[in-house]
Amino acid sequence: MSPPYSLLFLIGYRGSGKSIVARLLAERLGWKWCDADVVLEARHGRNVRQIFADEGEAGFRDKEALLLEELCKLQHHVIATGGGVILRPENRQRLRDSGQVVWLTADAQTLWRRLEEDATTGERRPVLTVGGLTEIEELLRVREPWYRACAHKMVNTTGRSAADVVDAIFAILPERGAWAP
Ligand code: S3P
């Protein structure tokens, strides 16, 4: 990504707070925001869990990659991506080339607790491997190198409110001069 940029992507595991932080960041920037999974669900008339059940993970990942290509053409948007968007190398490259990429992290216990507390988890979130805390620990081990490779910046959300996370992101973003008007 070379300046000026007008897209900000949030990446990170499920439960890292991407959607709420995207909304608050967009409010502060005077930009729009979207949650890529919500856009995908609306477009296909099924929730992510149903798409996984009907077409397998590969079917979902194809749709996710196509949608990402479209979202990368937007301007002045904060985009909360799905937690697995970094699995494909072409997605990682596209994200880095299209805007600022901020990786929201948290420890596995925190992610597990947040997912348990989210009433929509059971209905919308498919089990990816073995479920539970073990799944989170396993997938974090596998995915962390990809989140790291994709991100321009990283913010730890453990023990922080969404508003604190937004402040932390603002503190590390490039100067406004690098941003599109
Ligand atoms: C996934 C994360 C989910 C969603 C799908 C797969 C993953 O997005 O895209 O269930 O592989 O981590 P959220 O991170 O928005 O929950």
Side-chain angles (χ1 to χ4, degrees):
M1 188 273 320
S2 48
Y5 69 89
S6 67
L7 276 179
L8 206 151
F9 297 99
L10 298 179
I11 62 169
Y13 200 79
R14 310 202 270 201
S16 56
K18 293 166 290 181
S19 303
I20 170 77
V21 170
R23 181 171 64 75
L24 297 177
L25 260 178
E27 274 169 20
R28 214 154 128 179
L29 287 164
W31 288 6
K32 297 194 171 127
W33 77 281
C34 71
D35 176 318
D37 280 338
V38 171
V39 176
L40 191 147
E41 289 180 336
R43 186 162 299 182
H44 296 282
R46 284 168 292 165
N47 69 29
V48 171
R49 196 181 170 106
Q50 288 162 336
I51 297 173
F52 264 67
D54 295 346
E55 303 177 33
E57 180 168 352
F60 171 78
R61 297 294 173 205
D62 288 344
K63 291 178 171 42
E64 181 177 55
L66 277 176
L67 177 63
L68 181 66
E69 207 177 323
E70 258 181 63
L71 296 178
C72 285
K73 294 180 186 139
L74 294 172
Q75 291 203 318
H76 303 111
H77 270 72
V78 181
I79 297 172
T81 60
V85 75
I86 44 72
L87 293 175
R88 292 193 175 178
E90 62 272 27
N91 290 350
R92 298 198 292 272
Q93 191 62 48
R94 199 181 289 287
L95 286 162
R96 276 189 74 84
D97 290 346
S98 304
Q100 272 289 303
V101 184
V102 180
W103 172 25
L104 301 186
T105 68
D107 61 62
Q109 283 283 354
T110 300
L111 294 169
W112 172 235
R113 185 181 39 77
R114 289 182 190 158
L115 292 178
E116 287 264 277
E117 284 168 6
D118 180 346
T120 71
T121 290
E123 187 201 327
R124 283 188 65 214
R125 290 194 166 103
V127 172
L128 297 170
T129 58
V130 294
L133 179 59
T134 309
E135 171 176 296
I136 298 175
E137 288 167 343
E138 260 179 35
L139 290 184
L140 280 181
R141 241 189 325 274
V142 173
R143 292 180 178 183
E144 268 177 8
W146 294 324
Y147 286 124
R148 195 179 305 283
C150 183
H152 294 107
K153 312 277 183 198
M154 179 180 120
V155 171
N156 187 350
T157 69
T158 305
R160 278 175 156 162
S161 69
D164 287 348
V165 172
V166 170
D167 287 342
I169 293 174
F170 261 85
I172 57 169
L173 281 178
E175 293 295 312
R176 269 319 270 258
W179 303 40

